[in-house]
Amino acid sequence: MTQTIGIIGSGLVGKSVAHLAVAAGYKVVISNSRGPDSLSKLVKELGPLARAGSVEEAIAAGDIVSLAIPLANFKTLPADKFVGKVVIDQTNYYPGMGDFRRTDLDQGKLTSSELIQQHLKDAKVVKGIHNIGWIHMQYNARPKGDAERTTLPIAGDDAVAKEMITRFIEAVGYNVVDAGSLADSWRIEPNTPIYFWPYAPEVPEGLTEQEAKEVYRQRGKPLSPEQARQLISTTKSPSPIGGTLEGLPPIHIALFLELASANTVEG
């Protein structure tokens, strides 16, 4: 039976996950805070395997539920609807963006995925597909056996849920390595070596902004499972904890702002 991926959030990340999922033959139910009617154009673009729904419908339909929302919005998730659900946590902690900040996250007493798991106490949360930019999420996907296939990490506390997420990520175009428990997921969070940069191409100096954008839209160098494990195992606790705009390639910020100003970023 074809599995369904329920996606909460139709912004750049949610759209990329939806495209990957339907390309791999999964059904998709995608939702956002504005309701299904706002997603008609996206659903048409995704094709017959996709439909729009409310957040509750996406949760109910999903064999796997993707959280493609800002971490700051986690309390809006209806925890009682997630009972028994396998969840991909794609959120990231960016304390410098907006007014969302938590002392327990800043002090490393809790990882962002542990925070999600606390809220969704009856779900099975797995951190994954969070450490690669939305642009390269689609561009870097490659079939099994392809020499250019790269590797993404996951972390979680439930072995069955991790296996389910692993199969999904492998199906949409990536190798997978296990980074441990949710408590260990700090090793794959923002401001760590495996976050973002390994999946983006190098942009030479001296290019115009348009030329730089064209280069940046290409895939990055492949990261082997062995290289990914090495990055994870040698990671030191980041200080400060959390991501910053300064920690991202400037051209990535430029592309994001371009899309935002064009009013194409949906949440």
Side-chain angles (χ1 to χ4, degrees):
M1 181 181 293
T2 302
Q3 286 189 320
T4 298
I5 310 301
I7 302 175
I8 302 177
S10 62
L12 298 170
V13 172
K15 288 176 182 176
S16 293
V17 174
H19 278 285
L20 285 173
V22 297
Y26 289 87
K27 295 179 181 177
V28 163
V29 178
I30 190 164
S31 65
N32 65 14
S33 60
R34 297 196 302 278
D37 290 345
S38 67
L39 296 169
S40 57
K41 181 179 178 182
L42 174 60
V43 168
K44 184 177 180 181
E45 179 183 311
L46 290 169
L49 289 177
R51 67 179 177 89
S54 66
V55 169
E56 289 77 10
E57 287 172 332
I59 297 167
D63 296 290
I64 294 172
V65 181
S66 163
L67 303 184
I69 60 173
L71 179 63
N73 296 347
F74 81 95
K75 287 187 178 180
T76 67
L77 297 170
D80 60 316
K81 305 297 183 183
F82 280 87
V83 176
K85 289 293 180 177
V86 174
V87 175
I88 307 177
D89 175 23
Q90 296 186 257
T91 68
N92 287 298
Y93 184 45
Y94 274 79
M97 297 177 65
D99 56 4
F100 178 73
R101 188 149 203 164
R102 290 180 59 110
T103 301
D104 50 4
L105 298 182
D106 290 338
Q107 295 180 351
K109 295 178 180 179
L110 202 67
T111 66
S112 59
S113 287
E114 287 180 301
L115 180 65
I116 294 292
Q117 181 67 85
Q118 282 186 3
H119 181 64
L120 306 180
K121 59 186 180 64
D122 294 316
K124 300 170 183 179
V125 174
V126 177
K127 190 76 168 181
I129 327 182
H130 66 289
N131 64 315
I132 182 171
W134 86 88
I135 294 173
H136 303 108
M137 199 182 295
Q138 287 180 254
Y139 289 165
N140 287 16
R142 290 293 181 276
K144 285 185 178 181
D146 193 304
E148 296 296 310
R149 187 171 163 104
T150 193
T151 305
L152 297 178
I154 63 168
D157 296 337
D158 186 280
V160 174
K162 284 204 282 190
E163 177 59 29
M164 193 170 174
I165 298 301
T166 294
R167 290 197 300 268
F168 171 65
I169 297 174
E170 288 179 340
V172 301
Y174 292 91
N175 298 321
V176 178
V177 295
D178 190 339
S181 67
L182 292 180
D184 296 322
S185 63
W186 63 267
R187 294 181 178 275
I188 58 176
E189 287 183 340
N191 205 20
T192 64
I194 202 168
Y195 185 82
F196 207 97
W197 286 90
Y199 307 101
E202 293 184 13
V203 179
E205 295 183 2
L207 300 180
T208 66
E209 182 173 295
Q210 189 58 42
E211 289 171 337
K213 287 177 181 178
E214 290 303 317
V215 171
Y216 190 70
R217 287 188 177 99
Q218 306 305 310
R219 66 180 182 270
K221 293 180 180 179
L223 186 71
S224 71
E226 293 75 20
Q227 290 170 322
R229 292 189 187 97
Q230 178 69 12
L231 288 178
I232 293 165
S233 66
T234 57
T235 295
K236 297 179 180 179
S237 182
S239 181
I241 290 173
T244 63
L245 289 180
E246 293 77 17
L248 298 174
I251 197 63
H252 182 88
I253 305 303
L255 280 166
F256 176 82
L257 294 175
E258 178 183 292
L259 289 170
S261 65
N263 198 31
T264 59
V265 178
E266 298 180 355

